[in-house]
Amino acid sequence: MGNFKEDIVRTEAFVFDVDGVMTDGGIIPTLDGDFIRRYNAKDGYALAYAIKMGYKVCIITGGRGKTLENRLKMLGVTRAYIDCMDKISALHEYFAEEGIDPRNAIYMGDDIPDLECMREVGIPVCPADAAAEVIEASRYVSEFKGGEGAVRDIVEQVLRARGDWAKNSEGVTPSRWPPRGKAAAGNGRNGQPRQTGQDPKKAGSTPANKKTAGRMTGCFHIRRNHIRRRPFTASTRHSPHRGTAG
């Protein structure tokens, strides 16, 4: 383990929890069994931008809900473990399938269920308001709380260190997604964009394509309770002990 600033230059992947990391931890249950969460726009921008630049991003959370899944799709996240009660197994599977060296991975968590995963990676980080045990296990503690810029903080630091932040002054806007002349970026292997089959020359240029502007149009792999994935579909199988946070 070397200098933190030097180590983040070798970052191969970002892994994030949701509740307490991408949000402030508050949830409002709805009558239809979903949950309302409050997300930070700057966190979302940083994640979408990192994905656009070809970085691998994975979400591993005990949380669940259609609104959560829709949020991740909007950001372009293509690997997510939802309602996951065995985070360490999910992390091992993700690293194995993507060929990621755990020493070069960032995991941001905020509470006890994240500790095992944080001890597995080389760069464990957390929001300012994380549990004391998580802060103790972290190499970096953001000055921002969960849902208030902690995700943006670590993503921006990594991309700046690698010279990818605000590259060519390009951002992520609905009218330019995917960027003209480029394929839509996902979380492809070896940092390469995932192809969606859409003609990049026509992206965002006709009324027909405006329907998909700003949205990820390729594969969205959800694994609930760490069950085997089915491409383009989400398994409806659940364990008796569903998670709502973590």
Side-chain angles (χ1 to χ4, degrees), residues 125-157:
V125 300
C126 72
D129 57 344
E133 294 84 356
V134 172
I135 290 177
E136 180 71 21
S138 297
R139 289 188 61 190
Y140 174 76
V141 179
S142 174
E143 64 181 292
F144 302 98
K145 296 180 179 180
E148 297 182 7
V151 171
R152 165 70 174 255
D153 180 25
I154 189 62
V155 171
E156 183 175 336
Q157 284 200 53

Side-chain angles (χ1 to χ4, degrees), residues 111-133:
D111 213 342
I112 306 303
D114 299 303
L115 279 174
E116 200 170 8
C117 290
M118 295 181 72
R119 291 168 179 151
E120 185 72 13
V121 302
I123 313 173
V125 300
C126 72
D129 57 344
E133 294 84 356

Side-chain angles (χ1 to χ4, degrees), residues 223-238:
R223 301 192 189 184
R224 294 189 177 88
N225 295 315
H226 192 49
I227 317 175
R228 193 168 186 79
R229 150 182 94 195
R230 298 177 187 172
F232 297 101
T233 64
S235 171
T236 57
R237 189 175 150 202
H238 294 279

Side-chain angles (χ1 to χ4, degrees), residues 11-243:
T11 298
E12 295 179 24
F14 295 95
V15 183
F16 294 99
D17 178 29
V18 174
D19 296 310
V21 173
M22 293 177 65
T23 76
D24 61 5
I27 56 174
I28 302 176
T30 62
L31 294 177
D32 60 359
D34 207 340
F35 300 89
I36 297 174
R37 296 172 171 88
R38 181 176 179 272
Y39 300 95
N40 184 287
K42 290 184 178 179
D43 285 348
Y45 176 84
L47 281 177
Y49 184 78
I51 291 169
K52 170 190 172 182
M53 297 301 294
Y55 287 84
K56 296 178 181 179
V57 173
C58 180
I59 303 298
I60 302 178
T61 177
R64 71 180 193 275
K66 286 296 182 183
T67 54
L68 168 58
E69 294 176 17
N70 289 338
R71 174 60 174 168
L72 299 181
K73 287 180 181 179
M74 288 171 61
L75 298 178
V77 174
T78 60
R79 292 298 301 270
Y81 293 84
I82 305 296
D83 196 8
C84 181
M85 296 295 99
D86 188 358
K87 291 189 173 186
I88 191 64
S89 292
L91 188 71
H92 287 159
E93 180 179 279
Y94 175 64
F95 286 167
E97 292 185 354
E98 296 293 332
I100 296 167
D101 185 341
R103 294 173 297 181
N104 298 329
I106 288 176
Y107 186 101
M108 177 173 275
D110 74 301
D111 213 342
I112 306 303
D114 299 303
L115 279 174
E116 200 170 8
C117 290
M118 295 181 72
R119 291 168 179 151
E120 185 72 13
V121 302
I123 313 173
V125 300
C126 72
D129 57 344
E133 294 84 356
V134 172
I135 290 177
E136 180 71 21
S138 297
R139 289 188 61 190
Y140 174 76
V141 179
S142 174
E143 64 181 292
F144 302 98
K145 296 180 179 180
E148 297 182 7
V151 171
R152 165 70 174 255
D153 180 25
I154 189 62
V155 171
E156 183 175 336
Q157 284 200 53
V158 171
L159 269 63
R160 282 189 183 279
R162 294 168 60 95
D164 288 332
W165 184 254
K167 202 168 187 178
N168 301 322
S169 300
E170 288 188 4
V172 180
T173 60
S175 62
R176 292 293 300 279
W177 186 261
R180 295 188 182 92
K182 299 180 181 179
N187 299 132
R189 293 181 181 274
N190 302 319
Q192 295 303 311
R194 187 186 298 278
Q195 301 299 321
T196 65
Q198 182 182 17
D199 184 351
K201 295 182 179 179
K202 297 180 181 179
S205 61
T206 65
N209 283 315
K210 287 183 179 179
K211 292 182 179 179
T212 59
R215 298 197 297 272
M216 196 280 300
T217 57
C219 239
F220 182 51
H221 293 151
I222 297 178
R223 301 192 189 184
R224 294 189 177 88
N225 295 315
H226 192 49
I227 317 175
R228 193 168 186 79
R229 150 182 94 195
R230 298 177 187 172
F232 297 101
T233 64
S235 171
T236 57
R237 189 175 150 202
H238 294 279
S239 71
H241 306 290
R242 294 182 179 178

